[in-house]
Amino acid sequence: MISRVLKWHAQAALLNIYGTGIRARALFDPSLRSREDVSWLLVATLPNSGSTAVSKLLQGSKRSLAVTPSGEGQWLLPAMSAPGKRWEPSRPVDYEQMRRVWLSRVPKGDAPVVVIDKSPSNLVRLAEVAHALSSMPVKLISVTRDPYATVASWAKRYPPARVIRDWRPSLKGQLGTDDAFFEALGNIWGEWAAMLLKLRERADYSTSYETLVAAPADFVTAITGLYPELSDIDPSANVSVKDYEAQPLRNMNDEQIASLTPEQLGAVTKGLAPHEGIVRALEYELRG
């Protein structure tokens, strides 16, 4: 864990140097304030809820791109990516600097482009991000996913120490048992899903992971309704998501939920229970 923290601090130092140069360059380069050839598509979703699949599918267009290989612009600004702090809604962020840095990563070409950003932790500040980019066209889409499949994916990829370090330092000393860990993950899902539900009120298009993988062509049709220039997206394209082989989109919920024991499922339900109204509003159900 220490090495991860040190790595982030080293990257943050380099990004701050880069950001200082961008700030100076912006004094005489208007393209770092706004560009007529750039539009934005912001994806609001929880971690491990289909955002990578969405981003990779959308980047199949010749007229789309992302400002980082992961599709998450948060990693270009230390204030937006700090371990243990990036999920704090009140964390101060220089959104003008965010816009400058993000625009600095968009190449200039002959045709307009749509920039896709799917930074999950920006869920807590997406209204501010959209406002900072509002001198250019900005669209927002939201994507939900079954809470049990999401939590199963979290448990596979983020052990308790990492959840505490990156997401919730206040849980230090409280995740010593399997039940406590899975209950905490269920509760975190509920808290973040409440923010996602609120954002859906202003979204230009909302869908679910389950709907997306069942009918990718319908999703592409909806997106091209927002940005017709993305009409060359292939809904049947192979998509590489995390450590899985590149493949067409498919529903992986059942196999991920199957990794949870009955006891773990029960603990997740206990964590979700205070948020049952949110779960139902997003068209899911508590189990057990």
Side-chain angles (χ1 to χ4, degrees), residues 105-228:
R105 300 293 294 257
V106 181
K108 295 179 181 178
D110 297 328
V113 295
V114 178
V115 183
I116 316 297
D117 189 80
K118 57 99 175 176
S119 305
S121 61
N122 279 350
L123 191 67
V124 304
R125 58 182 66 88
L126 213 52
E128 291 81 2
V129 170
H131 179 72
L133 301 171
S134 61
S135 62
M136 297 161 279
V138 181
K139 301 292 185 183
L140 169 65
I141 66 173
S142 72
V143 183
T144 59
R145 189 184 185 189
D146 183 289
Y148 294 89
T150 304
V151 167
S153 184
W154 289 354
K156 175 183 176 181
R157 300 179 185 281
Y158 314 119
R162 188 171 176 186
V163 168
I164 292 168
R165 184 199 72 208
D166 287 351
W167 293 357
R168 198 63 63 89
S170 61
L171 291 176
K172 185 176 182 179
Q174 300 180 37
L175 303 183
T177 67
D178 210 40
D179 282 354
F181 179 52
F182 281 90
E183 181 180 344
L185 293 183
N187 185 57
I188 290 171
W189 189 97
E191 291 180 0
W192 289 350
M195 292 186 284
L196 182 58
L197 181 62
K198 187 174 181 179
L199 277 169
R200 290 210 310 181
E201 298 174 1
R202 61 174 296 165
D204 296 282
Y205 174 68
S206 294
T207 189
S208 68
Y209 167 84
E210 295 79 17
T211 300
L212 164 66
V213 298
D218 291 346
F219 172 76
V220 171
T221 297
I223 295 301
T224 55
L226 300 177
Y227 286 120

Side-chain angles (χ1 to χ4, degrees), residues 12 25 50 68-69 71 180 230 246 262 281:
R25 178 179 146 196
T68 68
L230 301 183

